Amino acid sequence: MDKVNLHLLATFSEIYRTRSVSKASQNLGMSQPGISAALGRLRRHFGDRLFVRTSTGMEPTPHAQQLIHLVDPALEQVRRALGYQAAFHPEASTRHFTVCTTDISQLLLLPLWLERRGKEAPNISIEIVRVSEASSRALESGQIDLAVGFFPEARAGLHEQTMDEQGFACVASVRHPRIGHTLSLAQFQTEPTVVIDCLGSGSQYAEMVLRQRKVDRNVVIKVPDFLGVESMIESTDMIATMPTPIAVFFAKNGLVKLLDLPLPIPPYTPRARWHERFHLDPANQWLRRIVTDIWLGIVRGNQRR
């Protein structure tokens, strides 16, 4: 039995429409022997003559008359599929996004993202999940649309976009009894300290650098995220080292002050990551554009402070 492909079905449809081998040949850009050979393969496959030559042209058999009602819609679907271009219209979309991020990004990015959503995509919804060891697999499976954070290692199958690098600052209460406008190395090492060791964050990177340099500090409490850190700093004499954007965010309340670090920590570069399957997806491209635009705005705002 001959294998039937789209080329043969298109030939069948054109002969049916024109009732002529020669016209089908012209319309399809094939030679008449080529059309005849294709018709022969169709006849062998279906076990029917399909078309019979008459004084008025190539007339279809009853089998061909039934078959055309299946072939033409199938060919139309294929033509539509081949001409299909994915599009995303945020103002009308009801898309649900799942974004994996740290609580730093949640505090800084999410309010501004929601503001942009209200202006550009009022019917879109978003779910935030925390960075974990399983985040890369969740990107691969499509459970997560985008991951934002500090990812030092490369992963196969994942695309990433680096955002502007960020430095670090120390924060203390404006009422701190021993620290004024500057912070000495001795104070950095002896003052009671909150350590934020948050997976996928710049804080985790800073702690790694300090451990590698064997910098001793008076660590009083170690927490896995920034929940409650602001209130701990403003109401006690503890200090904390954190990425500059979150330090600036905390200082806006007027109860926390920013201090330059007494020893340099190289800046870190946050990244947005997504799986290769969604690289050309217009909705995912829109989401990535919004996130990187917001982050750039935050960075520029910190540089002007």
Side-chain angles (χ1 to χ4, degrees):
M1 180 179 291
D2 285 69
K3 291 183 178 179
V4 174
N5 54 36
L6 290 175
H7 168 71
L8 293 178
L9 294 180
T11 301
F12 168 81
S13 178
E14 194 63 23
I15 295 174
Y16 191 98
R17 189 179 69 83
T18 63
R19 299 296 202 270
S20 169
V21 169
S22 60
K23 289 181 180 178
S25 170
Q26 293 171 3
N27 293 342
L28 293 176
M30 295 173 59
S31 66
Q32 288 194 32
I35 293 289
S36 297
L39 181 55
R41 292 177 62 185
L42 287 164
R43 284 168 168 168
R44 288 190 295 272
H45 178 85
F46 291 108
D48 188 87
R49 296 192 65 187
L50 298 178
F51 299 98
V52 177
R53 190 178 301 278
T54 70
S55 59
T56 58
M58 298 291 287
E59 291 298 324
T61 66
H63 187 92
Q65 289 175 330
Q66 295 177 13
L67 188 60
I68 194 65
H69 296 297
L70 299 174
V71 170
D72 274 357
L75 289 173
E76 178 59 26
Q77 288 293 328
V78 171
R79 292 188 189 101
R80 290 177 60 188
L82 292 174
Y84 175 75
Q85 295 292 327
F88 177 69
H89 304 286
E91 69 281 358
S93 176
T94 58
R95 177 80 174 257
H96 177 79
F97 291 108
T98 301
V99 177
C100 173
T101 186
T102 64
D103 55 347
I104 297 177
S105 297
Q106 186 173 339
L107 284 169
L108 300 178
L109 289 173
L110 196 55
L112 297 173
W113 188 92
L114 290 171
E115 182 180 341
R116 289 283 293 270
R117 169 196 172 275
K119 295 177 181 177
E120 296 184 30
N123 298 313
I124 281 176
S125 60
I126 187 169
E127 178 182 356
I128 301 296
V129 297
R130 289 293 178 87
V131 174
S132 71
E133 298 293 341
S135 296
S136 293
R137 290 192 297 274
L139 283 169
E140 293 172 358
S141 67
Q143 293 175 292
I144 295 173
D145 295 286
L146 187 68
V148 180
F150 174 67
F151 308 107
E153 80 290 350
R155 294 295 295 264
L158 296 182
H159 289 266
E160 66 178 35
Q161 180 175 351
T162 58
M163 296 186 257
D164 282 14
E165 63 182 22
Q166 280 294 295
F168 295 90
C170 196
V171 293
S173 170
V174 294
R175 299 190 300 270
H176 198 289
R178 295 174 297 279
I179 298 176
H181 298 295
T182 60
L183 180 69
S184 68
L185 180 58
Q187 289 172 319
F188 183 74
Q189 293 182 290
T190 59
E191 288 294 337
T193 298
V194 182
V195 166
I196 306 102
D197 199 2
C198 177
L199 183 65
S201 72
S203 291
Q204 186 184 49
Y205 162 76
E207 292 304 316
M208 177 187 69
V209 171
L210 292 172
R211 285 194 296 269
Q212 290 174 345
R213 294 180 178 176
K214 296 181 170 53
V215 177
D216 293 325
R217 290 174 297 162
N218 179 19
V219 177
V220 174
I221 184 170
K222 186 175 182 179
V223 295
D225 53 45
F226 281 84
L227 182 64
V229 170
E230 183 180 3
S231 60
M232 279 190 278
I233 296 299
E234 65 188 34
S235 60
T236 70
D237 61 352
M238 290 192 290
I239 63 174
T241 299
M242 60 187 65
T244 300
I246 193 71
V248 171
F249 180 80
F250 283 174
K252 286 180 179 179
N253 66 7
L255 301 176
V256 173
K257 58 186 173 184
L258 272 67
L259 301 161
D260 291 332
L261 290 171
L263 73 171
I265 296 178
Y268 78 105
T269 304
R271 291 176 169 86
R273 276 188 173 175
W274 60 96
H275 194 264
E276 185 176 6
R277 288 194 298 147
F278 305 102
H279 183 58
L280 298 179
D281 174 40
N284 197 285
Q285 290 176 337
W286 176 85
L287 177 66
R288 300 191 311 255
R289 177 178 60 81
I290 295 297
V291 169
T292 52
D293 283 355
I294 291 173
W295 185 259
L296 183 59
I298 291 171
V299 171
R300 288 174 176 172
N302 291 338
Q303 291 172 343
R304 290 194 295 267
R305 69 177 181 86

